Amino acid sequence: MAKMTGAQALTRSLVREGVEVVFALPGVQIMEAFNALYDEPSLRLVLVRHEQSAAYMADGYARTTGKPGVAMVVPGPGALNATAALGTAFASSSPVMLISGQIESYNLGVNRGALHEIGEQLDVFKHLTKWCDRTTESSEIPTLVHRAMEQLTTGRPRPVEIEVPWDILPNQTEIELLEQEVHPKRRPEPADVKSAANALAHAKRPLIWAGGGSREADLSPELLELSQVLNAPVITTPEGKGALPEDNPLSLGTIYNGHGPGHNVVPQSDVILVIGSRMHMVPPVDWSPQPHQTLIQIDADPEEVGRNIPVTTGMAADGRLALQDLLAELGGKTRASQWTLEELDSIRATTKEEIQAMAPLQVEIINSIRQELDDDAIMVSGTTEVGYWSHLAFPALTPRSYLTSSYFATLGYAFPTALGAKVGNPDRQVVATSGDGGFGYASSELATAVQERLNVVTILFNNESFGASYADQENRFGGRVIGTRIHNPDYAKLAESYGAEGIKLSGHQDLRPALRDALKADGPVLIEVPIPNLVPPFQIPPPGMIRHT
Ligand SMILES: Cc1ncc(C[n+]2csc(CCOP(=O)(O)OP(=O)(O)O)c2C)c(N)n1
């Protein structure tokens, strides 16, 4: 026990729980907390320009480091500004803690119209978080933070939100701080491990399907070993990219919106091991796992097991522990499945040709980006033409190196998310791709990037439109174009006006040397690339798509 203010209890608790960075934007209800941060040199405050970015940055930091990301905002408008980012973190199973201030504890529930009041703020966050709570006692702040950390580090990682009314932050009282706790992860049931191992050991053509859960379970070493022991090829979802390096001979690449290797490999497989994926097939395709195939699903979230496709064996467990148990059960002896490397090479080549034929320009651009990047560079693929196609054509070579906005498909997330990734990984290259429409959402964070000297390179593809929506009007609405063409600033000049570097290319052919130089800069660089309007993968029917009449 020691005498301290509620705000000190908050910041000291964060330090004890291992937090190193808080992404925040000030306001009266959290000024006490800012004041307490003044005395915590180990806790870096990254000041942002919009609350959406605080939460996006916390997400980018969390997904690339494996450590919870923390954002702090004022209640009401600040908290609401953060919601799209929190929803993105929820969809992406990312451990983000949003600390929202609150109105005075004595005004809670009275609807008096206190500054920044929302009737019941916790209700806003109920469906955007795994857990949210508040305290009205300063002595309870360490417990609130501790419980939030427990939620972030156990089971399926998803965001949490905590609230502290501002009148309890200056209170000086005896407060006991808590020590960081390492919570045990959940092991699978031994009987399930036995039956799954038995099915995999006898599989003729086993297949491993790795989703975003593989990222959060950090199971890459085990995944590599298991794929080799079973001689099983691996496909991933966009969120699982990099779980097995995509240049590994057993990697077949990524399935996305029905495209990719799925139709070339799933039907031929007899036993499919799914790790950390919902198996939600959008659009529905005839190559999704069928009842005659043995389906084994491992997921940290018990509610996900069998939700979209019935499974033969389900394991609600930590992915890494489950793979370790499977490997132990299999005894480390290599199984000779029927897959040959020639067959896998042929599937890979066919898939590549299919993608190349659908999107030649996008693939050319993606290849030129990949060629300039280190293996462990972080790519935040924006909600844009080149971003969608990168799911299919950009090989991710290390874990935690490829970020998407998952099923939220959030426009505008890429640039701020990349900034958070860079804060957490100062020694890795970080690149974001963005459309002209998407970049506008958080362009003011150029100021943050300059202030924090973050060398994030944003490649902005300018087609002077909300391109995906424009293409939709061209293709589905007979060219009746309305509300999809946009006026743009001169992006290079915009970046320069913030003190960042801005480069305007006359064509995508010049991208490679520009990117090479940009990656060596001492701060943010924006590279604008003009491109024509193109068609995203979700507007091209994939092989085996089931059409509903
Ligand atoms: C927050 C949000 N608002 C709207 C959308 C719908 N939407 C998806 S793509 C798109 C157009 C994006 O335009 P741009 O960023 O310029 O990229 P482009 O499609 O031109 O490559 C829109 C409006 C969305 N996904 N997210």
Side-chain angles (χ1 to χ4, degrees), residues 28 131 133 204 318 328 460 480 530:
V28 66
W131 173 91
D133 205 356
K204 294 192 177 71
D318 174 72
L460 186 156
R480 289 162 58 85

mmCIF file of all heavy atoms in Angstrom, residues 28 131 133 204 318 328 460 480 530:
data_model
loop_
_atom_site.group_PDB
_atom_site.id
_atom_site.type_symbol
_atom_site.label_atom_id
_atom_site.label_comp_id
_atom_site.label_asym_id
_atom_site.label_seq_id
_atom_site.Cartn_x
_atom_site.Cartn_y
_atom_site.Cartn_z
ATOM 1 N N VAL A 28 -10.210 17.123 -20.940
ATOM 2 C CA VAL A 28 -10.269 17.456 -19.515
ATOM 3 C C VAL A 28 -10.397 16.220 -18.612
ATOM 4 O O VAL A 28 -9.779 16.152 -17.560
ATOM 5 C CB VAL A 28 -11.388 18.497 -19.248
ATOM 6 C CG1 VAL A 28 -12.779 17.937 -19.516
ATOM 7 C CG2 VAL A 28 -11.306 19.014 -17.815
ATOM 8 N N TRP A 131 -14.757 -7.545 -23.373
ATOM 9 C CA TRP A 131 -15.084 -7.228 -21.985
ATOM 10 C C TRP A 131 -14.902 -5.730 -21.776
ATOM 11 O O TRP A 131 -13.989 -5.134 -22.324
ATOM 12 C CB TRP A 131 -14.116 -8.027 -21.094
ATOM 13 C CG TRP A 131 -14.153 -7.738 -19.632
ATOM 14 C CD1 TRP A 131 -14.917 -8.353 -18.688
ATOM 15 C CD2 TRP A 131 -13.344 -6.784 -18.929
ATOM 16 N NE1 TRP A 131 -14.640 -7.838 -17.445
ATOM 17 C CE2 TRP A 131 -13.678 -6.878 -17.560
ATOM 18 C CE3 TRP A 131 -12.369 -5.861 -19.311
ATOM 19 C CZ2 TRP A 131 -13.085 -6.093 -16.577
ATOM 20 C CZ3 TRP A 131 -11.765 -5.065 -18.336
ATOM 21 C CH2 TRP A 131 -12.136 -5.200 -16.985
ATOM 22 N N ASP A 133 -15.556 -2.537 -18.584
ATOM 23 C CA ASP A 133 -16.001 -2.302 -17.205
ATOM 24 C C ASP A 133 -15.479 -0.943 -16.740
ATOM 25 O O ASP A 133 -14.642 -0.327 -17.404
ATOM 26 C CB ASP A 133 -15.464 -3.417 -16.289
ATOM 27 C CG ASP A 133 -16.341 -3.596 -15.046
ATOM 28 O OD1 ASP A 133 -17.309 -2.814 -14.863
ATOM 29 O OD2 ASP A 133 -16.055 -4.496 -14.252
ATOM 30 N N LYS A 204 -4.187 -39.425 -46.212
ATOM 31 C CA LYS A 204 -3.468 -39.582 -47.481
ATOM 32 C C LYS A 204 -3.045 -38.200 -47.982
ATOM 33 O O LYS A 204 -1.955 -38.001 -48.469
ATOM 34 C CB LYS A 204 -4.384 -40.254 -48.515
ATOM 35 C CG LYS A 204 -4.745 -41.695 -48.166
ATOM 36 C CD LYS A 204 -5.389 -42.369 -49.385
ATOM 37 C CE LYS A 204 -5.695 -43.828 -49.128
ATOM 38 N NZ LYS A 204 -6.821 -44.011 -48.185
ATOM 39 N N ASP A 318 -5.522 -23.115 -26.874
ATOM 40 C CA ASP A 318 -4.482 -22.279 -27.444
ATOM 41 C C ASP A 318 -3.841 -23.026 -28.622
ATOM 42 O O ASP A 318 -3.487 -24.209 -28.504
ATOM 43 C CB ASP A 318 -3.430 -21.982 -26.375
ATOM 44 C CG ASP A 318 -2.246 -21.245 -26.944
ATOM 45 O OD1 ASP A 318 -2.407 -20.059 -27.271
ATOM 46 O OD2 ASP A 318 -1.171 -21.872 -27.103
ATOM 47 N N ALA A 328 3.617 -34.045 -30.082
ATOM 48 C CA ALA A 328 4.051 -35.052 -29.101
ATOM 49 C C ALA A 328 3.333 -36.377 -29.373
ATOM 50 O O ALA A 328 3.934 -37.454 -29.348
ATOM 51 C CB ALA A 328 3.763 -34.554 -27.689
ATOM 52 N N LEU A 460 0.363 5.461 -51.888
ATOM 53 C CA LEU A 460 -1.020 5.899 -52.103
ATOM 54 C C LEU A 460 -1.364 5.737 -53.588
ATOM 55 O O LEU A 460 -0.713 6.330 -54.441
ATOM 56 C CB LEU A 460 -1.144 7.354 -51.659
ATOM 57 C CG LEU A 460 -2.515 7.994 -51.650
ATOM 58 C CD1 LEU A 460 -2.533 9.149 -50.659
ATOM 59 C CD2 LEU A 460 -2.944 8.504 -53.009
ATOM 60 N N ARG A 480 -23.817 3.894 -64.191
ATOM 61 C CA ARG A 480 -24.513 5.073 -63.614
ATOM 62 C C ARG A 480 -23.669 5.574 -62.430
ATOM 63 O O ARG A 480 -23.902 5.225 -61.282
ATOM 64 C CB ARG A 480 -25.920 4.676 -63.178
ATOM 65 C CG ARG A 480 -26.851 4.411 -64.379
ATOM 66 C CD ARG A 480 -28.062 3.614 -63.959
ATOM 67 N NE ARG A 480 -28.841 4.270 -62.914
ATOM 68 C CZ ARG A 480 -29.792 5.191 -63.124
ATOM 69 N NH1 ARG A 480 -30.088 5.557 -64.353
ATOM 70 N NH2 ARG A 480 -30.454 5.707 -62.124
ATOM 71 N N PRO A 530 -0.171 7.102 -59.613
ATOM 72 C CA PRO A 530 -1.439 7.131 -60.356
ATOM 73 C C PRO A 530 -1.757 5.740 -60.893
ATOM 74 O O PRO A 530 -0.864 5.050 -61.388
ATOM 75 C CB PRO A 530 -1.143 8.096 -61.519
ATOM 76 C CG PRO A 530 0.341 8.042 -61.696
ATOM 77 C CD PRO A 530 0.950 7.679 -60.371
#
